[in-house]
Amino acid sequence: MKIIIANWKMNPVTEEEAVNLVGKIAAGASNIKEIETVITPPFVFLKSVLEKKGNLKVGAQDVFWENRGAYTGEVSPLQLKNLGVSYVIIGHSERRKWLGETDEVISKKVKATVENGLRAVLCVGEAKEIRNKGIDEAKKFVQEQLKKGLDGINKSYGTSLVVAYEPVWAISTFSGGKSDNPADAAEIISFIKKVLLSEFGISSPLVLYGGSVSGKNIADFAAHDSIDGFLVGSASLQEEEFLEMIKVVSSFL
Ligand code: PGA
């Protein structure tokens, strides 16, 4: 199975725009069954997006690690589950950067998410200075992020876990739209799968690529079998481009 996740980040700004966008994506993707398409809107639009989702799945962009209690401003995995959400993005590099999220906090969120039966999408990826030292350094860094971020996870959670490899420098808003080289991304994704097997006993994990994926370059990534799908930021806000991307990926199946 391939997965395409639309990470809307802190967009759009009105409910009308959110409903309009999900409605168009749901209508355009209604015949595509082989791909799991997931929309992750801001929390405030989750309910209205769920109402218009058609065959799509809906995810949140973050979560807390307790199910209820005195945690001002937080949203729990149980609340998300009860709403009908099925995916949660965790440890996105923007949260690591702007909110100071640590691997320790991220591992608590991953564990709470999968224990509640939701699918956790753990984001990992190195900064430019690390990649500049070579792909082996990037692998080492990502391996550490996986070991720490998945602390306490074992193979019984394997099907609830998705990893998104997103080199920080490749995210469009950081880099001005420079994606990774598809062959390098595929190599690191294969390495991530090896680590998931050797460290956690997870034998067929789904590992996505993210970072400036667009209608122009998605075919070059989708041509690599090891890439199980995509985490798409800015291009997911353009319904025509996003639908085209879904079609391109389905043409590889
Ligand atoms: P981008 O964002 O596709 O705009 O590079 C990807 C992400 O941050 O998840």
Side-chain angles (χ1 to χ4, degrees):
M1 189 190 43
K2 300 269 180 195
I3 302 178
I4 301 186
I5 303 177
N7 178 8
W8 285 1
K9 308 191 179 183
M10 206 168 67
N11 303 291
V13 293
T14 67
E15 184 169 355
E16 192 186 348
E17 288 172 278
V19 165
N20 219 336
L21 183 54
V22 70
K24 286 183 180 152
I25 296 170
S30 61
N31 292 327
I32 299 178
K33 308 268 183 292
E34 327 72 53
I35 295 182
E36 180 129 303
T37 304
V38 186
I39 307 294
T40 65
F43 282 120
V44 286
F45 303 136
L46 277 172
K47 195 165 190 303
S48 42
V49 164
L50 276 157
E51 282 162 7
K52 298 278 176 203
K53 75 178 182 52
N55 291 333
L56 310 173
K57 295 276 195 289
V58 175
Q61 298 173 16
D62 184 35
V63 71
F64 193 63
W65 58 80
E66 296 290 345
N67 274 337
R68 71 187 82 230
Y71 304 101
T72 303
E74 294 301 320
V75 176
S76 84
L78 185 58
Q79 290 169 333
L80 291 174
K81 184 180 169 174
N82 289 340
L83 195 63
V85 164
S86 41
Y87 280 75
V88 184
I89 297 174
I90 298 170
H92 190 280
S93 60
E94 285 153 12
R95 296 195 59 81
R96 294 181 192 252
K97 177 182 159 114
W98 301 115
L99 283 302
E101 277 200 7
T102 61
D103 288 315
E104 191 194 358
V105 159
I106 288 164
S107 77
K108 288 189 198 180
K109 293 182 174 187
V110 171
K111 201 151 185 287
T113 297
V114 296
E115 279 176 348
N116 275 283
L118 301 170
R119 240 178 183 179
V121 182
L122 170 65
C123 300
V124 294
E126 80 289 350
K128 192 70 186 166
E129 309 81 72
I130 298 174
R131 177 62 85 85
N132 284 345
K133 292 186 198 147
I135 200 160
D136 288 341
E137 286 301 310
K139 286 180 186 168
K140 257 192 237 164
F141 180 84
V142 166
Q143 181 167 19
E144 267 317 289
Q145 279 187 324
L146 289 169
K147 278 195 198 166
K148 292 181 185 153
L150 296 177
D151 189 31
I153 295 296
N154 58 46
K155 65 175 178 226
S156 66
Y157 297 120
T159 53
S160 300
L161 182 75
V162 177
V163 172
Y165 171 57
E166 294 206 306
V168 175
W169 50 272
I171 291 174
S172 65
T173 41
F174 286 174
S175 66
K178 181 130 186 31
S179 64
D180 197 359
N181 173 316
D184 289 348
E187 181 179 332
I188 294 188
I189 283 174
S190 297
F191 172 77
I192 288 172
K193 292 183 180 185
K194 279 192 201 132
V195 173
L196 291 172
L197 182 60
S198 62
E199 303 282 342
F200 305 97
I202 298 172
S203 57
S204 27
L206 291 165
V207 185
L208 319 181
Y209 169 75
S212 299
V213 186
S214 68
K216 289 201 184 79
N217 63 18
I218 196 163
D220 301 334
F221 287 95
H224 291 269
D225 280 348
S226 62
I227 302 180
D228 298 307
F230 300 94
L231 181 52
V232 184
S234 50
S236 72
L237 294 164
Q238 314 297 328
E239 70 265 8
E240 279 175 22
E241 179 165 17
F242 189 59
L243 284 167
E244 180 56 30
M245 292 165 79
I246 298 170
K247 284 189 195 127
V248 169
V249 174
S250 71
S251 72
F252 282 87
L253 294 175

